[in-house]
Structures are given as C-alpha cells and as structure tokens.
Amino acid sequence: MLKRPQLPVDLPASIPVFPLTGALLLPYARRPLNIFEPRYLEMIDHALKGDRLIGLIQPRDTSVESPEGRAPLERIGTVGRIVQFEEVENERYFVILEGLCRFQLVKEMPTMNPFRRAMVDTTPFASDFEREFGEEAVDRPRFLKMMREYAEFGNFDLDWDEIEKTGTADLVNFCAMVAPYGAAEKQALLEATTLETRAETLIAMAEFEMAKGTNRASPLN
C-alpha cells in the first residue's frame, strides 16, 4: 500500500484534476464518487497505475467556457488520494477519495489525455497535513449548539454519542462537506483560512437559513 503523503514536498507538482460543481473535499475527510464519463474513467485508470492522486476542484462558471470547450476552474481545490475503488457494471467506478491537502491552481497543462491536468502549489496549505491544526481556536460548545438547533430545525437525527467522540477538526470539516449549500458557499468553506473561520462560517450560514425559515433537505437524513 502506498504511504500517505505527509508534507507538500511529498506531492507532485502536477496532477489530474476532476472538475465537479458543488463538491467539497477537505483534509482527512472522505468523499465517495461515481465515475462514469469515459474521460474520467481514463483519469481513474491513470491514477491507479501511479500515485492514486487526483485534484477535486469546482468549475468557476460552467456557462463560460475556454476556446478548448472547458469551463474555467476555481483557484483553490483539494488533492485527494484514492483509498478505495470498485469496478461496477456498465463501465463505472465507485471511488472513495481521501482529502490530503488543498492546493492553488497554478496553470492548466497541455495534455494528450482526454482528462484535464494542472500544475498546483500546495505549500500555502502545509497545515492541512496536521489533522488537529486550529482546533483550540474553535468554540466547540457553540458549534455543537448550532448543530443541535439545525438538526431540530431540519427535523433529522444525529448520532450524538459519535459526535461527542469526534475531534473538532473532523467534525467541522464533515459538517462543511455535507452541508446542503450551493457551489459558492462550498467554495467559501474550502477557502476558509482557518478552522475557526470555517466553523464560524457554518454557524453563520445555519443561523441565516434558520432565520429565513428555509428547510432544505439534509444529506444527513
């Protein structure tokens, strides 16, 4: 089994990138992906033969495309490592992607492959490799209070025994990934400069939604 990268220097300067609107991947979190487009099936094949790394990133605006017919990308994404995969019928892959470290998109690279590839810089996000980085600054009781109020508002159940055992960073990042918000909000959560900022942003979003009385369907159901 390939060893999990521990520092930015352990990551390559260029990686295949997978544009996916509304998708958020954060360090140490895991995201399932169903891959079915031929170009991305080829991307997974390519990654599995090598370091198993791909970059998950949102398109900036799918209504505006480059001369090559590709939507421009956001400036920040996340390097993910394929930790589990399964070939399913009808030429599909079911993949589990584990977040390693965020990256800045430096530039896209010309490639003969059908999938996209980019040069990335992970050095600004070296702290992403420290699982508990920034936890001490988060007001955990306030965050849990928001979760309880939002669960009551959304009328869904949470496993509070499991939540109490979960580290603060993992809890905040999990909530950011499953929160039922749009692409712009997801990007803001990804780009939060600190864990505290991400937690406070989630609290503000939840409070705003509850104040409006909007009850979105929760992915936690």
Side-chain angles (χ1 to χ4, degrees), residues 17-202:
V17 289
F18 182 24
L20 189 60
T21 301
L24 178 61
L25 179 65
L26 290 166
Y28 290 96
R30 294 189 172 189
R31 169 169 288 281
L33 296 172
N34 284 298
I35 309 295
F36 54 88
E37 284 191 52
R39 56 180 167 169
Y40 296 127
L41 290 171
E42 189 167 334
M43 177 190 70
I44 297 299
D45 284 336
H46 174 86
L48 290 174
K49 291 175 184 176
D51 52 22
R52 299 195 172 202
L53 302 179
I54 62 174
L56 192 65
I57 191 168
Q58 291 201 95
R60 189 165 64 246
D61 183 353
T62 55
S63 67
V64 178
E65 294 191 342
S66 68
E68 296 79 20
R70 296 178 171 184
L73 302 174
E74 289 285 359
R75 65 184 189 91
I76 304 294
T78 304
V79 181
R81 182 180 66 147
I82 298 172
V83 293
Q84 183 180 334
F85 73 97
E86 179 183 358
E87 293 184 63
V88 294
E89 60 185 13
N90 299 324
E91 296 185 348
R92 291 172 178 253
Y93 273 127
F94 177 75
V95 169
I96 301 293
L97 202 61
E98 180 186 62
L100 296 178
C101 178
R102 289 170 293 168
F103 65 81
Q104 287 183 350
L105 182 71
V106 177
K107 66 176 181 179
E108 283 206 59
M109 301 173 61
T111 175
M112 298 296 291
N113 296 311
F115 53 87
R116 301 168 75 168
R117 190 174 187 91
M119 290 187 65
V120 299
D121 180 11
T122 57
T123 54
F125 304 106
S127 62
D128 284 356
F129 287 100
E130 301 179 44
R131 189 165 194 158
E132 300 173 355
F133 189 85
E135 283 190 339
E136 69 286 345
V138 176
D139 187 341
R140 183 180 173 101
R142 181 165 177 257
F143 191 80
L144 291 175
K145 178 176 181 292
M146 176 275 293
M147 289 185 66
R148 289 184 183 277
E149 291 175 351
Y150 193 79
E152 182 178 350
F153 168 75
N155 194 30
F156 56 87
D157 295 324
L158 296 177
D159 186 342
W160 291 105
D161 289 337
E162 188 64 29
I163 286 170
E164 290 294 343
K165 294 185 291 186
T166 301
T168 301
D170 287 346
L171 184 61
V172 171
N173 288 341
F174 172 76
C175 287
M177 286 180 56
V178 302
Y181 300 124
E185 292 89 348
K186 292 284 189 177
Q187 192 66 28
L189 291 168
L190 176 68
E191 296 185 14
T193 54
T194 66
L195 186 69
E196 180 187 22
T197 301
R198 185 172 297 133
E200 291 297 323
T201 301
L202 279 168

